[in-house]
Amino acid sequence: MKKISETDLAKIVNDRTMIDYLDRLRMLATSLFTWKGLDDVAGTGASRFLEQSLYENGRACFVKDDELGFLALKVNPSDKLNVYNLPTKVMAWSIGYNKQYNFDDVVYIMNNELEKPTMQSLELFAMRLYETERTIDVNLQAQKTPILIEGDTKTILTLKNVYMQYSGNTPFIFGNKQFDISNKLNVLKTDAPYLIDKLDAHKHQIFNDALTILGIDNANTDKKERLITNEVESNEQLVTYYLNCWYKTRKKACDEINKKFFNGENKIEIVLNKDVMDLLNKTENDIINNRGDNNGEIYDYN
């Protein structure tokens, strides 16, 4: 088995950290809404597939195929646009399916008014989280090994082996008389500052900004001090506006589906997964109960 170099190992950890943060944010983004009843009329997995399509492509569609029945599919505009910049024809597609429809024969579903994929924004947040997380890792390693080792070219391999034992938490490092360590190397301290607490706070702020974009309340997720009422209310307003950006286009599409294909009967509903959001936003007891002095009004979520 080929030995992994430190450079290759760092690249692997870099890639996995980036992917991990992107997957975490994706799971949150695609768990906000459920298309209640959609799986019943369009097949098992339709609701999940629709949210994934909106996340990746910013648009999707609901169609009635002559042979397969109702389907929730990915979609691309086809042919020219009308005066309102909406397509006159669309190409509905998925694995093993590709069919053109007139725009009026489908329900065109937008992720938001700009038809922007959620993924584009969250990739930026994932990148920032990855950079901060890996900086924390480097800073932590620097606390354990805040040194530079200087030696001659003849002993470089020995010095690397000694350092690997040191960085690998070996409690004792043994040498022999032939390797006079005092004459072979110099150790220079770098005195790396401890920044983990500041970086961790920065990381949580980035994550909270991502939650705000998704419409998930986060005013109380990191603060254990008292929360001022207007500070929380201001954040709640912004969260509500963002949440509405995702919700209103889905609600409009849901109403159009019921009107166009089910004679106005509410066969399909768009449901905000409030239980998930409540779990994400549990207020810690010490935030509510620890009232301290009276420099400001405490915001009580209860």
Side-chain angles (χ1 to χ4, degrees):
M1 182 177 178
K2 183 181 177 181
K3 185 178 179 181
I4 299 177
S5 68
E6 291 183 8
T7 301
D8 290 338
L9 180 59
K11 186 177 185 304
I12 290 171
V13 177
N14 288 345
D15 292 343
R16 289 184 179 179
T17 302
M18 174 66 181
I19 292 170
D20 180 62
Y21 272 118
L22 189 56
D23 285 345
R24 292 191 213 181
L25 293 172
R26 180 175 186 143
M27 285 189 291
L28 290 174
T30 55
S31 297
L32 293 177
F33 302 100
T34 294
W35 295 76
K36 187 177 179 182
L38 182 59
D39 284 13
D40 295 333
V41 300
T44 301
S47 178
R48 172 187 172 277
F49 183 77
L50 178 52
E51 279 300 315
Q52 297 292 336
S53 299
L54 293 172
Y55 177 89
E56 294 175 352
N57 303 318
R59 60 175 75 96
C61 69
F62 186 88
V63 304
K64 185 178 183 181
D65 183 86
D66 293 337
E67 296 180 3
L68 301 177
F70 295 116
L71 297 170
L73 300 169
K74 297 181 180 182
V75 69
N76 288 331
S78 178
D79 206 13
K80 61 185 179 181
L81 302 178
N82 66 16
V83 293
Y84 297 117
N85 282 345
L86 291 171
T88 54
K89 293 181 183 294
V90 298
M91 187 64 68
W93 65 280
S94 184
I95 297 175
Y97 189 97
N98 197 346
K99 189 173 181 180
Q100 189 178 65
Y101 288 87
N102 291 322
F103 184 79
D104 291 337
D105 293 332
V106 308
V107 171
Y108 193 72
I109 307 169
M110 300 181 187
N111 189 39
N112 47 61
E113 291 287 4
L114 299 179
E115 298 182 49
K116 299 290 288 184
T118 316
M119 182 172 65
Q120 288 185 359
S121 293
L122 294 192
E123 280 181 339
L124 294 175
F125 283 108
M127 177 65 76
R128 294 171 188 137
L129 288 165
Y130 142 75
E131 291 282 6
T132 308
E133 187 71 41
R134 293 299 283 137
T135 304
I136 290 174
D137 291 340
V138 172
N139 189 247
L140 179 61
Q141 187 72 10
Q143 304 311 305
K144 184 174 69 171
T145 57
I147 59 173
L148 295 173
I149 299 177
E150 179 185 42
D152 58 55
T153 56
K154 295 180 181 179
T155 58
I156 189 67
L157 180 59
T158 304
L159 295 177
K160 281 186 176 181
N161 289 332
V162 169
Y163 185 80
M164 286 176 65
Q165 293 179 61
Y166 177 59
S167 63
N169 299 314
T170 301
F172 301 101
I173 300 174
F174 299 97
N176 55 47
K177 291 183 179 180
Q178 285 73 35
F179 179 59
D180 186 355
I181 194 168
S182 62
N183 295 325
K184 301 290 184 178
L185 61 84
N186 292 318
V187 175
L188 308 174
K189 293 188 66 178
T190 61
D191 293 323
Y194 180 85
L195 301 174
I196 294 174
D197 51 349
K198 295 178 181 179
L199 289 167
D200 194 56
H202 178 63
K203 180 181 70 175
H204 282 280
Q205 183 57 55
I206 295 172
F207 200 83
N208 284 347
D209 288 344
L211 294 181
T212 297
I213 293 292
L214 293 176
I216 300 174
D217 185 24
N218 56 85
N220 63 317
T221 53
D222 292 312
K223 296 184 178 181
K224 291 187 178 181
E225 71 272 16
R226 295 167 310 122
L227 295 175
I228 309 303
T229 300
N230 34 356
E231 175 188 353
V232 176
E233 289 179 346
S234 175
N235 184 76
E236 284 185 336
Q237 272 192 334
L238 187 58
V239 166
T240 300
Y241 289 144
Y242 273 120
L243 183 60
N244 190 51
C245 291
W246 312 112
Y247 175 77
K248 71 175 184 178
T249 51
R250 286 165 170 77
K251 181 66 168 64
K252 180 175 181 293
C254 194
D255 292 342
E256 288 180 2
I257 291 171
N258 288 325
K259 181 179 180 181
K260 183 183 289 287
F261 295 107
F262 303 112
N263 297 320
E265 184 182 352
N266 289 330
K267 284 278 190 177
I268 299 173
E269 298 178 54
I270 187 67
V271 178
L272 176 64
N273 292 331
K274 193 68 169 59
D275 291 342
V276 175
M277 299 185 74
D278 286 342
L279 287 173
L280 288 168
N281 299 305
K282 275 190 174 180
T283 306
E284 295 190 22
N285 290 331
D286 59 340
I287 296 178
I288 297 176
N289 297 330
N290 182 18
R291 303 204 175 244
D293 54 36
N294 293 320
N295 291 334
E297 183 180 356
I298 307 299
Y299 190 90
D300 190 338
Y301 281 87
N302 292 330

